[in-house]
Amino acid sequence: MSNRYGNNLLRGRTAVAAVFVATLALSACGGDDASTGTEAGTDEVTLRFSWWGNDERARITQEALDAFEAEYPHISVDTEPLDFDGYFDRLATSVAAGNAPDVITLGGAYPREYGDRGVLLDLSTVAEQLPTDQIDEAALSNGFFSDVQYSIPTGVNTYAMVVNPEVFDAAGVPLPDDTSWTWDDFIDIAQEISENTPDDTYGAVDPTSADVMDLYSRQHTGAGLYTEDGEVAIAAETARDWWTMTKQMSESGATPSASLTAELAGQAAPEQTLMGRGLAGMQFDWSNQLTALRGASGADLQMLRAPGESHGVAPGMWLQASQSYAIYAESDHPEEAALLIDFLVNNAEAAAFIKADRGIPANGEVLEAITPELDEDTAAQADFIAAVSDEVNPDLIIGPTGSTETRLIVERLNDEVLFDRISPEEAGERLVREVTSAIE
């Protein structure tokens, strides 16, 4: 991994950091960049474009698509939006029926999973319509498998700790120094906040997720959830130690009870989380959720590095494409689909509508163009990514086929531990066994 991804990521992060530093120093910048792809044919074409998100994303996406259709009058776009929870089930159904959308929005391990199954187009076949030379290499690596570029990142994102300074103040607890804090500090701070605030307010939301366990494992062993060869890398002992810590936090009241954590697991919308309701001091989340969480809570939420980043054998945090665009391999209109993706990721006019809703733009020129237009919340995301981009772990490993089950396995085992139905040791052993089975 250190060759293909590591070197590229290092170069990519350096490039991203340079872009952020440069753009944040700009007081103004032109935004007249046009899409860079070469025009396909001029026959009337209708594309299907699937994505997930809320009403606000629907509004800005449609504005960008209106601009695309004005630039390419012979291409119409029918959108197929859905809530996140049902999106991938419907996509799987359409793929099985051989009727998937022309342009598909993906995330996490899905580009690799669908790419390996032959569902996605090799984007080198439409390179004329979809150039990638201005897109950050680290972000491109998220969609590059088996020497094939299967997807294009919509933007750069990172996973970190969101904190509510108002909850800290109410508890009389100072914000930690995120360049040096440890997991023990995290536990102590969460406990102190819970003890010094009303009963419905917690120091931290239960932190367990596949993403956080990946981060924690990297810090403690140097390996995340998977190996480069697509095997399970996390050790049962590492998972045991994690669940020993989080179970103790739940039992002490530093984090919510098992029943409340289970209830919250089915409420993914930011406004439904404890952080979104102003009832938690700390919560792990993706950087592009900051705007929604700030809006829901009405608080000036901040982002911090994860605990333990400066104390482990390796950094746990990483940069990742927040979402990716791919083209269905059986699309009747691959060149027009490529033009649409090119417009969405390489055109400043489209970015003026979308801004950082799908992550901080990975195209440096586009980012420069829209930086003066970023609102306070989005600028805070860009600031944070710029601050950590030279520190995060360069060894990005996307989960192999079947790894999309890992999130559900972790959630199920977490319930079992918190409800005291299995021990942390058994949970660790079952995690390795069940994930191994899922990816075989």
Side-chain angles (χ1 to χ4, degrees), residues 149-178:
Q149 191 75 47
Y150 282 117
S151 65
I152 301 297
T154 63
V156 178
N157 208 357
T158 192
Y159 203 68
M161 184 72 78
V162 179
V163 299
N164 187 333
E166 294 181 7
V167 173
F168 274 73
D169 287 344
V173 178
L175 289 173
D177 177 355
D178 70 340

Side-chain angles (χ1 to χ4, degrees), residues 18 75 84 88 131 181 191 193 216 223 229 301 305 333 354 365 378 380:
I75 304 176
F84 178 80
F88 288 100
W181 71 325
Q191 186 69 44
I193 291 174
Y216 183 83
D229 296 331
L301 306 182
R305 295 167 178 81
H333 312 294
I354 298 172
E365 293 183 352
T378 307

Side-chain angles (χ1 to χ4, degrees), residues 162-377:
V162 179
V163 299
N164 187 333
E166 294 181 7
V167 173
F168 274 73
D169 287 344
V173 178
L175 289 173
D177 177 355
D178 70 340
T179 63
S180 61
W181 71 325
T182 66
W183 286 100
D184 285 342
D185 294 331
F186 168 68
I187 296 169
D188 292 342
I189 291 169
Q191 186 69 44
E192 191 172 358
I193 291 174
S194 289
E195 290 175 350
N196 295 337
T197 51
D199 290 345
D200 63 349
T201 302
Y202 297 88
V205 174
D206 180 84
T208 301
S209 71
D211 290 318
V212 178
M213 295 187 75
D214 190 18
L215 181 154
Y216 183 83
S217 182
R218 287 166 181 247
Q219 290 181 347
H220 288 76
T221 69
L225 290 174
Y226 312 105
T227 68
E228 186 177 0
D229 296 331
E231 306 291 334
V232 173
I234 188 172
E237 293 78 12
T238 304
R240 175 202 62 198
D241 293 346
W242 171 264
W243 267 308
T244 298
M245 177 183 73
T246 57
K247 181 173 174 56
Q248 290 174 348
M249 292 182 73
S250 178
E251 291 176 341
S252 72
T255 57
S257 65
S259 57
L260 180 54
T261 292
E263 177 184 339
L264 293 168
Q267 300 173 350
E271 58 271 21
Q272 295 176 319
T273 64
L274 291 179
M275 181 61 67
R277 293 154 55 193
L279 298 176
M282 298 178 283
Q283 172 177 302
F284 277 99
D285 219 320
W286 289 101
S287 56
N288 66 344
Q289 292 298 302
L290 184 64
T291 298
L293 288 169
R294 280 183 169 182
S297 66
D300 184 25
L301 306 182
Q302 306 295 316
M303 300 202 73
L304 301 181
R305 295 167 178 81
E309 280 294 281
S310 59
H311 295 272
V313 300
M317 294 174 62
W318 70 98
L319 291 183
Q320 183 165 319
S322 53
Q323 299 176 15
S324 299
Y325 294 132
I327 298 174
Y328 182 40
E330 302 302 321
S331 170
D332 291 331
H333 312 294
E335 293 184 353
E336 288 80 3
L339 287 176
L340 174 57
I341 296 176
D342 172 65
F343 189 83
L344 292 173
V345 301
N346 288 327
N347 189 296
E349 183 179 5
F353 297 115
I354 298 172
K355 294 188 173 64
D357 179 72
R358 290 173 166 90
I360 301 298
N363 181 314
E365 293 183 352
V366 170
L367 178 60
E368 285 188 10
I370 68 166
T371 292
E373 304 174 21
L374 295 180
D375 58 33
E376 181 180 356
D377 296 339

